[in-house]
Amino acid sequence: MINLETPRKLAPLAKQASQVASEVFRPISRKYDRAEHEYPKELDMFAALMDGKDAGAGNAGAGAAGVRRKDKADEESNRNGSNMATVLGVIELCYGDVGLTLTLPRQGLGNSAIASVANDEQLQRFAGKWAAMAITEPEAGSDSASIRTTAVLDGDEYVLNGEKIYVTSGSRAELIVVWASLDPSKGRAAIKSFVVPRDTPGMILERLEHKLGIRASDTANFRLEDCRIPKENLLGSPEIDTEKSFAGAMQTFDNTRPLVAGMAVGLARACIDETRKRLDEAGVTVDYTRPANVQHAAAARLLALEADYEAALLLTLQAAWMADNSKPNSLQASMAKAKAGRSCVDIALGCVELCGSVGYGEDSLLEKWARDAKILDIFEGTQQIQLLVVARQLLGKSSAELR
Ligand SMILES: Cc1cc2nc3c(=O)[nH]c(=O)nc-3n(C[C@H](O)[C@H](O)[C@H](O)COP(=O)(O)OP(=O)(O)OC[C@H]3O[C@@H](n4cnc5c(N)ncnc54)[C@H](O)[C@@H]3O)c2cc1C
């Protein structure tokens, strides 16, 4: 059964991440919000420290871990593994800054994909490299099954052609995990992921996006033009299995959606703590021993926002715990992402509202967090797509039956 306290063995990790959030991220948060596209060099030293820690902790880092489903948990025992570690770490780091968390070297979503599905030889070859994830295309966002990038086998190499947009860490990562189709006539079953070193000829960086929030994180657009990679860079099986193939690729989301939910939880808690402090300074103290309806209206509103935060946190922990214990968690991963994504936006805007002009001005980070929040309800599947996945699961419908 799930235990809701922070597991003892993961407490030091959460504490370290919390220290990084307050001592490394917060002081440079505004600087890199203003200096969009400038690389936060302060992160290099921290990333080196994390590499050392990961090596010692069996991949229980604060950022990109993967889930290798063959690592079956003992049926009888409870296990808190890399998913719980990653989620707890990410919650703390995003308490500091979401954009900086997203730009931590070697902690990209591509690293999660590699850690989850690469074979032993690939794990060794790509070890220590920073990997971004490129699924989205101009004509394929929410409907990732409709991607048009192709991968054609030519001798010992795959030749990739297509366009990829909105790649987080695309200009900074060393590897890009690209989703492409082996045969567009075979539909979603032919979609596979390929590890493309960013400096491969034909992998052309077109531009960086200017964004509403998470400005410390770079977002890149690529064109792939006869981009050749060794055939050993395909992740998973090259077979086109109409039963399982796309489900395999989609399984990555079961691991990454709780992670994004964790980011939203961290940001939401930052907003709540800052607002509680500001309200306190203004003479409105939240009393946790009394019902909300007998308190100051501002305190009652903050309590309501905190209830949403708690719900998002619990769903996120559940989804991560299930992944660690080899329980199918697609439903819970989407529930967590939907609840946390929407709640963090509501909470951030609610906190700006509660703090009035203080919340809206640049003297506090609340206005930045309100801008940073929205992406967490968009990437790794929008709010609407998460609800669609939840509905399909609950009603037992396929993606063709409920779209
Ligand atoms: C800052 C940023 C970073 C990103 N990083 C990455 C990354 O690293 N890798 C990557 O591959 N992608 C990344 N993305 C892309 C992101 O995952 C997509 O933007 C997202 O999946 C939505 O796709 P779309 O923008 O094409 O919107 P669309 O799919 O066109 O959707 C537009 C609207 O329609 C709704 N909608 C779509 N289909 C349905 C439906 N069936 N039912 C109900 N509503 C629906 C959506 O919810 C949304 O509100 C990033 C995006 C941003 C903005």
Side-chain angles (χ1 to χ4, degrees):
M1 206 169 68
I2 186 168
N3 179 340
L4 296 174
E5 282 175 25
T6 303
R8 206 171 333 138
K9 75 168 178 181
L10 301 183
L13 169 103
K15 191 162 171 235
Q16 273 177 346
S18 161
Q19 273 171 346
V20 168
S22 59
E23 289 163 27
V24 183
F25 286 6
R26 284 280 179 96
I28 58 172
S29 208
R30 181 64 77 186
K31 173 180 166 189
Y32 287 104
D33 180 48
R34 292 202 180 112
E36 193 174 20
H37 298 163
E38 197 177 301
Y39 176 67
K41 54 189 180 317
E42 291 87 343
L43 298 185
D44 279 342
M45 189 185 70
F46 167 60
L49 284 174
M50 281 215 351
D51 287 346
K53 182 163 61 59
D54 284 0
N59 200 27
V67 176
R68 303 181 74 77
R69 296 272 166 171
K70 68 181 178 189
D71 294 347
K72 279 251 180 275
D74 176 344
E75 290 291 315
E76 298 296 314
S77 73
N78 251 321
R79 185 162 123 151
N80 289 300
S82 57
N83 278 283
M84 189 60 85
T86 306
V87 161
L88 291 176
V90 130
I91 289 174
E92 296 304 329
L93 290 174
C94 288
Y95 185 81
D97 192 287
V98 176
L100 292 169
T101 302
L102 283 167
T103 207
L104 278 175
R106 296 178 285 287
Q107 305 291 320
L109 290 175
N111 289 100
S112 285
I114 292 172
S116 298
V117 296
N119 61 35
D120 290 344
E121 182 275 326
Q122 290 169 328
L123 274 182
Q124 216 173 10
R125 196 152 42 94
F126 302 132
K129 298 243 163 64
W130 185 356
M133 186 83 161
I135 304 171
T136 307
E137 300 181 359
E139 303 300 325
S142 296
D143 183 11
S144 38
S146 63
I147 63 173
R148 294 178 181 174
T149 297
T150 53
V152 176
L153 190 61
D154 181 23
D156 287 341
E157 295 176 324
Y158 282 107
V159 186
L160 275 66
N161 279 287
E163 201 179 338
K164 291 289 171 185
I165 60 173
Y166 287 102
V167 183
T168 297
S169 301
S171 71
R172 295 170 184 168
E174 295 147 289
L175 307 172
I176 317 280
V177 176
V178 173
W179 282 29
S181 172
L182 287 177
D183 182 351
S185 74
K186 298 225 164 82
R188 58 179 61 212
I191 295 172
K192 304 281 175 184
S193 46
F194 300 83
V195 180
V196 182
R198 191 170 50 78
D199 56 5
T200 309
M203 183 77 186
I204 302 154
L205 176 66
E206 297 252 86
R207 67 167 197 277
L208 297 177
E209 296 291 346
H210 292 283
K211 308 189 295 292
L212 174 73
I214 57 159
R215 291 186 180 155
S217 162
D218 63 314
T219 308
N221 291 0
F222 287 98
R223 191 159 37 90
L224 290 106
E225 229 173 61
D226 291 329
C227 178
R228 289 180 167 270
I229 53 162
K231 72 175 194 307
E232 293 77 20
N233 284 19
L234 182 150
L235 294 175
S237 159
E239 301 305 319
I240 300 177
D241 179 341
T242 45
E243 290 295 307
K244 293 202 302 229
S245 182
F246 196 60
M250 295 298 278
Q251 219 176 41
T252 316
F253 288 135
D254 299 345
N255 309 330
T256 53
R257 284 177 177 162
L259 204 59
V260 178
M263 295 178 187
V265 165
L267 182 141
R269 183 153 62 79
C271 295
I272 288 169
D273 285 355
E274 178 70 13
T275 304
R276 193 190 304 101
K277 194 181 94 198
R278 300 269 177 179
L279 288 181
D280 205 44
E281 284 165 6
V284 178
T285 303
V286 183
D287 185 345
Y288 290 90
T289 64
R290 291 195 308 144
N293 61 353
V294 299
Q295 297 194 43
H296 191 289
R301 173 110 166 92
L302 193 70
L303 283 168
L305 295 177
E306 273 198 74
D308 259 352
Y309 155 78
E310 291 282 346
L313 170 65
L314 294 181
L315 284 167
T316 303
L317 295 181
Q318 181 190 27
W321 179 85
M322 289 178 79
D324 276 342
N325 287 276
S326 299
K327 297 180 190 297
N329 72 337
S330 299
L331 172 64
Q332 289 76 11
S334 283
M335 281 181 167
K337 170 76 169 68
K339 178 68 186 172
R342 174 162 288 174
S343 297
C344 85
V345 175
D346 291 348
I347 290 168
L349 287 174
C351 287
V352 166
E353 201 173 287
L354 281 170
C355 294
S357 54
V358 170
Y360 199 74
E362 286 199 359
D363 285 345
S364 104
L365 285 168
L366 278 169
E367 68 80 29
K368 175 184 177 311
W369 293 335
R371 287 186 285 110
D372 287 349
K374 189 62 206 173
I375 190 57
L376 301 168
D377 204 25
I378 296 178
F379 65 11
E380 289 303 289
T382 63
Q383 175 69 215
Q384 291 75 15
I385 294 306
Q386 304 306 335
L387 296 183
L388 200 55
V389 173
V390 170
R392 280 181 197 141
Q393 296 261 345
L394 292 179
L395 300 172
K397 304 258 187 211
S398 68
S399 51
E401 289 167 326
L402 195 60
R403 53 174 78 222

PDB file of all heavy atoms in Angstrom, residues 302-327:
ATOM      1  N   LEU A 302      -7.095  31.131   0.019  1.00  0.00           N
ATOM      2  CA  LEU A 302      -5.803  30.440  -0.009  1.00  0.00           C
ATOM      3  C   LEU A 302      -5.975  28.984   0.425  1.00  0.00           C
ATOM      4  O   LEU A 302      -5.361  28.080  -0.149  1.00  0.00           O
ATOM      5  CB  LEU A 302      -4.773  31.141   0.871  1.00  0.00           C
ATOM      6  CG  LEU A 302      -3.345  30.647   0.641  1.00  0.00           C
ATOM      7  CD1 LEU A 302      -2.810  31.078  -0.727  1.00  0.00           C
ATOM      8  CD2 LEU A 302      -2.392  31.125   1.709  1.00  0.00           C
ATOM      9  N   LEU A 303      -6.829  28.746   1.412  1.00  0.00           N
ATOM     10  CA  LEU A 303      -7.075  27.364   1.860  1.00  0.00           C
ATOM     11  C   LEU A 303      -7.686  26.537   0.720  1.00  0.00           C
ATOM     12  O   LEU A 303      -7.339  25.361   0.531  1.00  0.00           O
ATOM     13  CB  LEU A 303      -8.001  27.353   3.086  1.00  0.00           C
ATOM     14  CG  LEU A 303      -7.320  27.745   4.408  1.00  0.00           C
ATOM     15  CD1 LEU A 303      -8.366  27.983   5.494  1.00  0.00           C
ATOM     16  CD2 LEU A 303      -6.335  26.665   4.856  1.00  0.00           C
ATOM     17  N   ALA A 304      -8.582  27.151  -0.049  1.00  0.00           N
ATOM     18  CA  ALA A 304      -9.197  26.433  -1.176  1.00  0.00           C
ATOM     19  C   ALA A 304      -8.129  26.095  -2.222  1.00  0.00           C
ATOM     20  O   ALA A 304      -8.104  24.977  -2.770  1.00  0.00           O
ATOM     21  CB  ALA A 304     -10.308  27.282  -1.792  1.00  0.00           C
ATOM     22  N   LEU A 305      -7.232  27.048  -2.467  1.00  0.00           N
ATOM     23  CA  LEU A 305      -6.153  26.791  -3.439  1.00  0.00           C
ATOM     24  C   LEU A 305      -5.233  25.682  -2.915  1.00  0.00           C
ATOM     25  O   LEU A 305      -4.772  24.821  -3.673  1.00  0.00           O
ATOM     26  CB  LEU A 305      -5.343  28.067  -3.701  1.00  0.00           C
ATOM     27  CG  LEU A 305      -6.096  29.223  -4.388  1.00  0.00           C
ATOM     28  CD1 LEU A 305      -5.190  30.451  -4.513  1.00  0.00           C
ATOM     29  CD2 LEU A 305      -6.607  28.820  -5.770  1.00  0.00           C
ATOM     30  N   GLU A 306      -4.991  25.678  -1.622  1.00  0.00           N
ATOM     31  CA  GLU A 306      -4.131  24.641  -1.040  1.00  0.00           C
ATOM     32  C   GLU A 306      -4.756  23.257  -1.152  1.00  0.00           C
ATOM     33  O   GLU A 306      -4.056  22.257  -1.303  1.00  0.00           O
ATOM     34  CB  GLU A 306      -3.852  24.949   0.437  1.00  0.00           C
ATOM     35  CG  GLU A 306      -2.658  25.855   0.616  1.00  0.00           C
ATOM     36  CD  GLU A 306      -2.094  25.820   2.035  1.00  0.00           C
ATOM     37  OE1 GLU A 306      -1.443  24.834   2.413  1.00  0.00           O
ATOM     38  OE2 GLU A 306      -2.337  26.796   2.751  1.00  0.00           O
ATOM     39  N   ALA A 307      -6.087  23.200  -1.070  1.00  0.00           N
ATOM     40  CA  ALA A 307      -6.762  21.901  -1.209  1.00  0.00           C
ATOM     41  C   ALA A 307      -6.513  21.337  -2.611  1.00  0.00           C
ATOM     42  O   ALA A 307      -6.277  20.135  -2.792  1.00  0.00           O
ATOM     43  CB  ALA A 307      -8.261  22.062  -0.939  1.00  0.00           C
ATOM     44  N   ASP A 308      -6.556  22.231  -3.610  1.00  0.00           N
ATOM     45  CA  ASP A 308      -6.266  21.802  -4.985  1.00  0.00           C
ATOM     46  C   ASP A 308      -4.825  21.312  -5.104  1.00  0.00           C
ATOM     47  O   ASP A 308      -4.539  20.314  -5.782  1.00  0.00           O
ATOM     48  CB  ASP A 308      -6.439  23.000  -5.931  1.00  0.00           C
ATOM     49  CG  ASP A 308      -7.763  22.941  -6.654  1.00  0.00           C
ATOM     50  OD1 ASP A 308      -8.462  21.910  -6.545  1.00  0.00           O
ATOM     51  OD2 ASP A 308      -8.109  23.934  -7.312  1.00  0.00           O
ATOM     52  N   TYR A 309      -3.929  22.031  -4.456  1.00  0.00           N
ATOM     53  CA  TYR A 309      -2.510  21.643  -4.464  1.00  0.00           C
ATOM     54  C   TYR A 309      -2.329  20.248  -3.855  1.00  0.00           C
ATOM     55  O   TYR A 309      -1.641  19.394  -4.411  1.00  0.00           O
ATOM     56  CB  TYR A 309      -1.688  22.693  -3.702  1.00  0.00           C
ATOM     57  CG  TYR A 309      -0.396  22.157  -3.143  1.00  0.00           C
ATOM     58  CD1 TYR A 309       0.710  21.969  -3.955  1.00  0.00           C
ATOM     59  CD2 TYR A 309      -0.298  21.806  -1.793  1.00  0.00           C
ATOM     60  CE1 TYR A 309       1.891  21.443  -3.448  1.00  0.00           C
ATOM     61  CE2 TYR A 309       0.872  21.280  -1.280  1.00  0.00           C
ATOM     62  CZ  TYR A 309       1.964  21.093  -2.104  1.00  0.00           C
ATOM     63  OH  TYR A 309       3.119  20.562  -1.604  1.00  0.00           O
ATOM     64  N   GLU A 310      -2.983  20.013  -2.729  1.00  0.00           N
ATOM     65  CA  GLU A 310      -2.860  18.711  -2.048  1.00  0.00           C
ATOM     66  C   GLU A 310      -3.373  17.588  -2.960  1.00  0.00           C
ATOM     67  O   GLU A 310      -2.763  16.518  -3.046  1.00  0.00           O
ATOM     68  CB  GLU A 310      -3.678  18.701  -0.744  1.00  0.00           C
ATOM     69  CG  GLU A 310      -3.128  19.598   0.352  1.00  0.00           C
ATOM     70  CD  GLU A 310      -1.932  18.983   1.084  1.00  0.00           C
ATOM     71  OE1 GLU A 310      -1.696  17.779   0.922  1.00  0.00           O
ATOM     72  OE2 GLU A 310      -1.245  19.739   1.798  1.00  0.00           O
ATOM     73  N   ALA A 311      -4.506  17.829  -3.603  1.00  0.00           N
ATOM     74  CA  ALA A 311      -5.075  16.801  -4.493  1.00  0.00           C
ATOM     75  C   ALA A 311      -4.099  16.488  -5.623  1.00  0.00           C
ATOM     76  O   ALA A 311      -3.873  15.319  -5.975  1.00  0.00           O
ATOM     77  CB  ALA A 311      -6.418  17.285  -5.048  1.00  0.00           C
ATOM     78  N   ALA A 312      -3.511  17.555  -6.196  1.00  0.00           N
ATOM     79  CA  ALA A 312      -2.553  17.359  -7.292  1.00  0.00           C
ATOM     80  C   ALA A 312      -1.327  16.583  -6.802  1.00  0.00           C
ATOM     81  O   ALA A 312      -0.841  15.661  -7.468  1.00  0.00           O
ATOM     82  CB  ALA A 312      -2.133  18.716  -7.853  1.00  0.00           C
ATOM     83  N   LEU A 313      -0.851  16.932  -5.614  1.00  0.00           N
ATOM     84  CA  LEU A 313       0.325  16.250  -5.051  1.00  0.00           C
ATOM     85  C   LEU A 313       0.042  14.755  -4.860  1.00  0.00           C
ATOM     86  O   LEU A 313       0.840  13.894  -5.250  1.00  0.00           O
ATOM     87  CB  LEU A 313       0.699  16.902  -3.713  1.00  0.00           C
ATOM     88  CG  LEU A 313       1.757  16.188  -2.871  1.00  0.00           C
ATOM     89  CD1 LEU A 313       3.111  16.182  -3.574  1.00  0.00           C
ATOM     90  CD2 LEU A 313       1.907  16.831  -1.489  1.00  0.00           C
ATOM     91  N   LEU A 314      -1.113  14.440  -4.274  1.00  0.00           N
ATOM     92  CA  LEU A 314      -1.415  13.036  -3.983  1.00  0.00           C
ATOM     93  C   LEU A 314      -1.550  12.214  -5.268  1.00  0.00           C
ATOM     94  O   LEU A 314      -1.055  11.090  -5.356  1.00  0.00           O
ATOM     95  CB  LEU A 314      -2.699  12.934  -3.148  1.00  0.00           C
ATOM     96  CG  LEU A 314      -2.590  13.527  -1.724  1.00  0.00           C
ATOM     97  CD1 LEU A 314      -3.901  13.365  -0.972  1.00  0.00           C
ATOM     98  CD2 LEU A 314      -1.455  12.886  -0.938  1.00  0.00           C
ATOM     99  N   LEU A 315      -2.200  12.797  -6.284  1.00  0.00           N
ATOM    100  CA  LEU A 315      -2.325  12.070  -7.560  1.00  0.00           C
ATOM    101  C   LEU A 315      -0.947  11.843  -8.193  1.00  0.00           C
ATOM    102  O   LEU A 315      -0.673  10.792  -8.781  1.00  0.00           O
ATOM    103  CB  LEU A 315      -3.212  12.851  -8.523  1.00  0.00           C
ATOM    104  CG  LEU A 315      -4.717  12.777  -8.243  1.00  0.00           C
ATOM    105  CD1 LEU A 315      -5.469  13.830  -9.064  1.00  0.00           C
ATOM    106  CD2 LEU A 315      -5.272  11.390  -8.560  1.00  0.00           C
ATOM    107  N   THR A 316      -0.081  12.834  -8.045  1.00  0.00           N
ATOM    108  CA  THR A 316       1.265  12.735  -8.636  1.00  0.00           C
ATOM    109  C   THR A 316       2.074  11.635  -7.939  1.00  0.00           C
ATOM    110  O   THR A 316       2.722  10.803  -8.599  1.00  0.00           O
ATOM    111  CB  THR A 316       1.988  14.099  -8.512  1.00  0.00           C
ATOM    112  OG1 THR A 316       1.180  15.083  -9.151  1.00  0.00           O
ATOM    113  CG2 THR A 316       3.353  14.066  -9.158  1.00  0.00           C
ATOM    114  N   LEU A 317       2.011  11.616  -6.626  1.00  0.00           N
ATOM    115  CA  LEU A 317       2.749  10.580  -5.881  1.00  0.00           C
ATOM    116  C   LEU A 317       2.209   9.189  -6.225  1.00  0.00           C
ATOM    117  O   LEU A 317       2.960   8.227  -6.386  1.00  0.00           O
ATOM    118  CB  LEU A 317       2.633  10.826  -4.373  1.00  0.00           C
ATOM    119  CG  LEU A 317       3.284  12.108  -3.840  1.00  0.00           C
ATOM    120  CD1 LEU A 317       3.115  12.205  -2.327  1.00  0.00           C
ATOM    121  CD2 LEU A 317       4.772  12.177  -4.199  1.00  0.00           C
ATOM    122  N   GLN A 318       0.882   9.106  -6.356  1.00  0.00           N
ATOM    123  CA  GLN A 318       0.284   7.808  -6.695  1.00  0.00           C
ATOM    124  C   GLN A 318       0.793   7.308  -8.056  1.00  0.00           C
ATOM    125  O   GLN A 318       1.184   6.151  -8.199  1.00  0.00           O
ATOM    126  CB  GLN A 318      -1.246   7.936  -6.738  1.00  0.00           C
ATOM    127  CG  GLN A 318      -1.935   6.613  -7.051  1.00  0.00           C
ATOM    128  CD  GLN A 318      -3.426   6.771  -7.328  1.00  0.00           C
ATOM    129  OE1 GLN A 318      -3.882   7.828  -7.773  1.00  0.00           O
ATOM    130  NE2 GLN A 318      -4.186   5.737  -7.050  1.00  0.00           N
ATOM    131  N   ALA A 319       0.798   8.215  -9.047  1.00  0.00           N
ATOM    132  CA  ALA A 319       1.222   7.805 -10.396  1.00  0.00           C
ATOM    133  C   ALA A 319       2.681   7.352 -10.382  1.00  0.00           C
ATOM    134  O   ALA A 319       3.039   6.355 -11.027  1.00  0.00           O
ATOM    135  CB  ALA A 319       1.025   8.958 -11.377  1.00  0.00           C
ATOM    136  N   ALA A 320       3.538   8.073  -9.645  1.00  0.00           N
ATOM    137  CA  ALA A 320       4.962   7.722  -9.590  1.00  0.00           C
ATOM    138  C   ALA A 320       5.149   6.404  -8.839  1.00  0.00           C
ATOM    139  O   ALA A 320       5.916   5.532  -9.265  1.00  0.00           O
ATOM    140  CB  ALA A 320       5.752   8.833  -8.904  1.00  0.00           C
ATOM    141  N   TRP A 321       4.425   6.245  -7.758  1.00  0.00           N
ATOM    142  CA  TRP A 321       4.540   5.022  -6.961  1.00  0.00           C
ATOM    143  C   TRP A 321       4.112   3.804  -7.788  1.00  0.00           C
ATOM    144  O   TRP A 321       4.760   2.750  -7.756  1.00  0.00           O
ATOM    145  CB  TRP A 321       3.675   5.154  -5.694  1.00  0.00           C
ATOM    146  CG  TRP A 321       3.710   3.944  -4.823  1.00  0.00           C
ATOM    147  CD1 TRP A 321       4.636   3.647  -3.882  1.00  0.00           C
ATOM    148  CD2 TRP A 321       2.774   2.853  -4.836  1.00  0.00           C
ATOM    149  NE1 TRP A 321       4.341   2.436  -3.298  1.00  0.00           N
ATOM    150  CE2 TRP A 321       3.213   1.931  -3.860  1.00  0.00           C
ATOM    151  CE3 TRP A 321       1.631   2.568  -5.570  1.00  0.00           C
ATOM    152  CZ2 TRP A 321       2.537   0.739  -3.610  1.00  0.00           C
ATOM    153  CZ3 TRP A 321       0.950   1.394  -5.320  1.00  0.00           C
ATOM    154  CH2 TRP A 321       1.411   0.497  -4.345  1.00  0.00           C
ATOM    155  N   MET A 322       3.048   3.966  -8.549  1.00  0.00           N
ATOM    156  CA  MET A 322       2.586   2.832  -9.371  1.00  0.00           C
ATOM    157  C   MET A 322       3.636   2.442 -10.400  1.00  0.00           C
ATOM    158  O   MET A 322       3.875   1.256 -10.646  1.00  0.00           O
ATOM    159  CB  MET A 322       1.265   3.190 -10.058  1.00  0.00           C
ATOM    160  CG  MET A 322       0.109   3.268  -9.080  1.00  0.00           C
ATOM    161  SD  MET A 322      -1.424   3.753  -9.869  1.00  0.00           S
ATOM    162  CE  MET A 322      -1.914   2.201 -10.623  1.00  0.00           C
ATOM    163  N   ALA A 323       4.279   3.457 -11.005  1.00  0.00           N
ATOM    164  CA  ALA A 323       5.320   3.147 -11.992  1.00  0.00           C
ATOM    165  C   ALA A 323       6.473   2.395 -11.326  1.00  0.00           C
ATOM    166  O   ALA A 323       6.990   1.415 -11.875  1.00  0.00           O
ATOM    167  CB  ALA A 323       5.820   4.426 -12.641  1.00  0.00           C
ATOM    168  N   ASP A 324       6.857   2.821 -10.147  1.00  0.00           N
ATOM    169  CA  ASP A 324       7.947   2.140  -9.439  1.00  0.00           C
ATOM    170  C   ASP A 324       7.582   0.708  -9.068  1.00  0.00           C
ATOM    171  O   ASP A 324       8.455  -0.128  -8.885  1.00  0.00           O
ATOM    172  CB  ASP A 324       8.297   2.896  -8.147  1.00  0.00           C
ATOM    173  CG  ASP A 324       9.257   4.039  -8.405  1.00  0.00           C
ATOM    174  OD1 ASP A 324       9.900   4.037  -9.478  1.00  0.00           O
ATOM    175  OD2 ASP A 324       9.354   4.929  -7.551  1.00  0.00           O
ATOM    176  N   ASN A 325       6.291   0.457  -8.902  1.00  0.00           N
ATOM    177  CA  ASN A 325       5.858  -0.871  -8.469  1.00  0.00           C
ATOM    178  C   ASN A 325       5.268  -1.693  -9.613  1.00  0.00           C
ATOM    179  O   ASN A 325       4.470  -2.613  -9.396  1.00  0.00           O
ATOM    180  CB  ASN A 325       4.874  -0.727  -7.297  1.00  0.00           C
ATOM    181  CG  ASN A 325       5.621  -0.303  -6.033  1.00  0.00           C
ATOM    182  OD1 ASN A 325       6.175  -1.124  -5.323  1.00  0.00           O
ATOM    183  ND2 ASN A 325       5.699   1.000  -5.795  1.00  0.00           N
ATOM    184  N   SER A 326       5.663  -1.312 -10.860  1.00  0.00           N
ATOM    185  CA  SER A 326       5.280  -2.039 -12.072  1.00  0.00           C
ATOM    186  C   SER A 326       3.774  -2.224 -12.211  1.00  0.00           C
ATOM    187  O   SER A 326       3.317  -3.260 -12.682  1.00  0.00           O
ATOM    188  CB  SER A 326       5.982  -3.405 -12.123  1.00  0.00           C
ATOM    189  OG  SER A 326       7.368  -3.226 -12.149  1.00  0.00           O
ATOM    190  N   LYS A 327       3.020  -1.236 -11.768  1.00  0.00           N
ATOM    191  CA  LYS A 327       1.567  -1.292 -11.963  1.00  0.00           C
ATOM    192  C   LYS A 327       1.224  -0.369 -13.130  1.00  0.00           C
ATOM    193  O   LYS A 327       1.738   0.746 -13.196  1.00  0.00           O
ATOM    194  CB  LYS A 327       0.840  -0.818 -10.692  1.00  0.00           C
ATOM    195  CG  LYS A 327       1.098  -1.704  -9.480  1.00  0.00           C
ATOM    196  CD  LYS A 327       0.362  -1.194  -8.249  1.00  0.00           C
ATOM    197  CE  LYS A 327       0.799  -1.917  -6.987  1.00  0.00           C
ATOM    198  NZ  LYS A 327       0.525  -3.351  -6.958  1.00  0.00           N
TER     199      LYS A 327
END
